[in-house]
Amino acid sequence: MAKSNEAKRSAPNKLRQTLLSDFLGKVKDGRVEKNEARGDTRSQQQADKGRLATQHLTHDGEVDTTRRLQAGSSLSDGGYGTPSQPISAAIATGGRRVHRPLLLDAGVETVGDGAYGAVFSVKVLQKHSRVFFSGPIPAVDKSTESIQRFKNKATQYSVIQTNTVVRCADGKPVLYFIKGGMYAGLTPGNDRKLREKSISAIRELIDAYPPSRPTQADSRMQAEQRRIQVEKNNAFGRYMLTYWYSQGGMRKGPRLSSESEPYKEKAMTSLVGYLQATAWEHDQVATWISAIDPEIHEELHTCYQGLGQDTLKHLYQGPKACHSGLALLVNRTEDPHKDENDARDNWTTTNCWGAFQGACVVYPELGIKVAMEPGDISLTRAAVLTHFVEELEDGERFCHVRFTKENILRPTGKVYKDLAIPCPINGCARVCPSKATLKIHLRGPSGAARRAKRSPTFHWLGTKEVKQYVAEAMKALPHKADKEEEVGEKLAHSADEQAEDSSKSEK
């Protein structure tokens, strides 16, 4: 009886399985093949759409630049895939969305003229410049995990070793790499002498005035770098020699950084000698900025020379110089960051000295890394481009970074309370941008420079005389008088209102 019941229950199940297998076979013979064919068609359509997108639109859909590129242009290693890979295969690979940046080779172009001119390979980034220059600057994640991710991705980027310019889709440049640019216009014997002069001045500075150590704000990787360099008996650290607003010192006005004014006379002497020995580098990079971007150079040069030796004191590097900030990195590599306080459209320049291996400068948004060698120059928009330096594998590396802060280049009324203060001494045509600058102009620097009193740009007055002249100059300012009149009018108006109120109360 039990067996018959089991047979009755199993019969419908077998029938269902038979009918289901027959049905699935029919579907496979008909509809499934159609679906597979339809899937092939869809994948082909997606590939065609990807190809059309690269022909007519940029990543953000703004400007058509790839039409101007030559037919059959290959992609760079820092873009999608390999150089031999076609654009359509790179963008529409199985319908997956690719997030890596797209750099297209756009031939060559000549920039500059004469000794300060060169032929550059042009790479076009498929992003509009407003992605970088409009709106707030996105912050960079500086966690240990994020830094490691940046470094892992950098292993896939292409290495730039020849003259290269990277432009946005609308044509605005964001990076220039000039191979051997530091030696432009110099004779073969003179360039060697100047190079050795800079290196010896750097070593003397390190011996007399050691660079600052990593702080708590630096990452653990910076501390590890310092440990490795100390084991190799190499110096490690950074000098910030700049004119800027110190952290939390916006109300006090701009001033020289603390590392620019060491209190030991030996350190100060070595620092002044270093700045004088490396002034020729500043002249070279300023000339290259003038050749590449004359408008920006004029603004930078006007600001720098307007500050002059009165304000910059021993940081002043001559009539051709244009950047008020200088950082010297000694065997130190930087973590991913942006210099967001620099002027956005400003050109930050970098050049290196020493015999070393590794330490390429990486630009994740561009998908490239620049192999800097002694004598090379790079001009970048460091305020908006994320960048970092890979680990130093061997040797010693001395890196110069020149920059200008936004609030120094384009001061506003909220920052500079006194925009133009003429010197009160008869016969002096100097106009100082702030009260602090006027005090320095009247008194002059301290220390050995004050004892020598060789510079004619200072009046070398005593403290009491400085106070008297500063008070006279502040009283003579027209905007100060206007403010006093406004205050007087407000007081008079408030007194009238009080009188009216009192009369009303009496009534």
Side-chain angles (χ1 to χ4, degrees):
M1 188 69 180
K3 291 183 179 180
S4 62
N5 292 335
E6 290 179 1
K8 289 179 181 179
R9 285 195 299 268
S10 62
N13 293 335
K14 290 181 179 179
L15 181 61
R16 288 194 198 96
Q17 292 176 0
T18 303
L19 293 174
L20 182 61
S21 62
D22 294 340
F23 175 76
L24 292 176
K26 292 178 182 179
V27 171
K28 185 175 182 181
D29 295 337
R31 296 180 182 177
V32 172
E33 291 179 355
K34 291 181 180 180
N35 288 337
E36 290 176 354
R38 188 181 301 169
D40 295 339
T41 304
R42 287 179 178 176
S43 62
Q44 183 63 34
Q45 290 176 352
Q46 289 174 353
D48 294 338
K49 287 181 180 179
R51 183 162 52 253
L52 290 174
T54 56
Q55 292 176 355
H56 299 288
L57 297 175
T58 64
H59 245 324
D60 298 305
E62 282 91 354
V63 180
D64 175 11
T65 57
T66 52
R67 285 182 177 179
R68 292 182 287 159
L69 302 179
Q70 298 176 355
S73 296
S74 62
L75 297 172
S76 68
D77 296 336
Y80 301 91
T82 61
S84 60
Q85 203 173 6
I87 298 175
S88 58
I91 291 186
T93 53
R96 296 193 306 272
R97 184 177 179 183
V98 182
H99 294 280
R100 295 177 63 188
L102 176 63
L103 276 180
L104 297 179
D105 295 328
V108 297
E109 69 177 28
T110 303
V111 180
D113 188 20
Y116 296 91
V119 178
F120 291 83
S121 298
V122 183
K123 294 186 181 296
V124 178
L125 177 68
Q126 296 304 285
K127 286 187 179 181
H128 198 281
S129 62
R130 62 169 162 259
V131 174
F132 300 109
F133 297 98
S134 298
I137 300 175
V140 179
D141 186 2
K142 297 182 180 181
S143 63
T144 304
E145 295 78 9
S146 177
I147 293 173
Q148 193 60 47
R149 284 196 299 270
F150 274 115
K151 294 185 177 181
N152 292 339
K153 290 181 180 179
T155 58
Q156 304 174 6
Y157 297 158
S158 61
V159 181
I160 301 298
Q161 295 178 312
T162 58
N163 292 341
T164 304
V165 54
V166 177
R167 296 185 180 276
C168 293
D170 56 334
K172 188 167 185 175
V174 292
L175 180 143
Y176 282 95
F177 175 66
I178 310 168
K179 188 67 177 177
M182 195 58 70
Y183 305 132
L186 303 178
T187 59
N190 194 25
D191 62 356
R192 181 178 56 81
K193 292 179 181 179
L194 291 173
R195 179 178 67 247
E196 293 176 354
K197 181 180 179 181
S198 293
I199 295 175
S200 62
I202 292 172
R203 294 191 182 281
E204 291 176 3
L205 175 65
I206 293 172
D207 293 338
Y209 183 30
S212 59
R213 298 182 178 182
T215 62
Q216 294 181 353
D218 294 321
S219 67
R220 289 184 295 174
M221 295 185 180
Q222 292 287 349
E224 181 65 17
Q225 287 181 38
R226 182 178 183 276
R227 184 187 65 79
I228 294 172
Q229 294 300 325
V230 169
E231 290 179 355
K232 296 179 180 179
N233 293 323
N234 293 335
F236 179 88
R238 177 179 61 191
Y239 298 89
M240 292 299 294
L241 311 172
T242 179
Y243 179 72
W244 59 3
Y245 286 88
S246 59
Q247 188 174 4
M250 294 298 292
R251 293 185 178 181
K252 297 179 181 179
R255 59 185 60 194
L256 299 185
S257 59
S258 59
E259 295 177 5
S260 302
E261 299 179 301
Y263 62 91
K264 291 185 178 180
E265 187 172 357
K266 181 180 178 181
M268 188 65 177
T269 302
S270 64
L271 177 60
V272 172
Y274 155 77
L275 291 168
Q276 294 175 353
T278 58
W280 71 275
E281 299 180 29
H282 203 159
D283 293 348
Q284 291 292 88
V285 297
T287 307
W288 273 110
I289 296 175
S290 176
I292 289 173
D293 197 337
E295 294 182 1
I296 291 296
H297 173 265
E298 183 178 359
E299 185 178 15
L300 290 170
H301 185 261
T302 302
C303 173
Y304 186 89
Q305 300 302 326
L307 295 173
Q309 191 174 3
D310 293 352
T311 301
L312 300 175
K313 296 191 271 191
H314 54 280
L315 297 187
Y316 183 77
Q317 289 193 305
K320 291 185 178 180
C322 63
H323 274 307
S324 58
L326 169 63
L328 170 59
L329 308 181
V330 180
N331 297 320
R332 172 175 169 140
T333 59
E334 295 295 329
D335 295 330
H337 69 286
K338 296 177 183 177
D339 301 312
E340 62 273 4
N341 292 325
D342 293 359
R344 286 198 181 192
D345 53 352
N346 175 34
W347 288 110
T348 297
T349 66
T350 306
N351 68 283
C352 302
W353 301 116
F356 59 90
Q357 293 180 355
C360 291
V361 186
V362 184
Y363 300 93
E365 286 98 345
L366 308 182
I368 61 174
K369 51 185 178 181
V370 178
M372 296 286 295
E373 295 182 353
D376 298 342
I377 300 175
S378 69
L379 280 68
T380 58
R381 314 281 192 178
V384 297
L385 288 179
T386 304
H387 54 283
F388 65 95
V389 183
E390 292 184 320
E391 293 182 5
L392 181 64
E393 297 175 2
D394 192 19
E396 287 186 290
R397 179 178 183 266
F398 310 120
C399 180
H400 282 147
V401 182
R402 291 176 172 85
F403 56 92
T404 298
K405 295 299 180 181
E406 173 72 28
N407 50 19
I408 297 297
L409 183 62
R410 304 180 183 104
T412 61
K414 294 181 180 180
V415 177
Y416 279 121
K417 296 181 179 179
D418 306 314
L419 295 179
I421 308 176
C423 179
I425 295 180
N426 295 330
C428 182
R430 172 71 178 176
V431 178
C432 300
S434 66
K435 186 176 179 180
T437 306
L438 177 61
K439 290 181 179 179
I440 296 173
H441 172 66
L442 294 173
R443 187 182 185 280
S446 58
R450 184 170 183 80
R451 290 193 293 271
K453 295 184 179 180
R454 295 176 181 175
S455 177
T457 59
F458 306 109
H459 294 290
W460 308 106
L461 302 178
T463 303
K464 292 184 179 179
E465 294 176 306
V466 169
K467 288 183 179 179
Q468 293 176 358
Y469 279 116
V470 168
E472 292 178 7
M474 299 303 291
K475 288 180 181 179
L477 288 179
H479 64 276
K480 282 283 183 179
D482 295 341
K483 288 182 180 179
E484 290 176 0
E485 290 178 2
E486 291 177 2
V487 173
E489 291 176 358
K490 289 181 179 180
L491 291 174
H493 183 66
S494 62
D496 295 338
E497 289 180 348
Q498 290 178 0
E500 290 179 2
D501 294 338
S502 61
S503 63
K504 288 180 182 179
S505 62
E506 289 176 0
K507 290 179 180 180

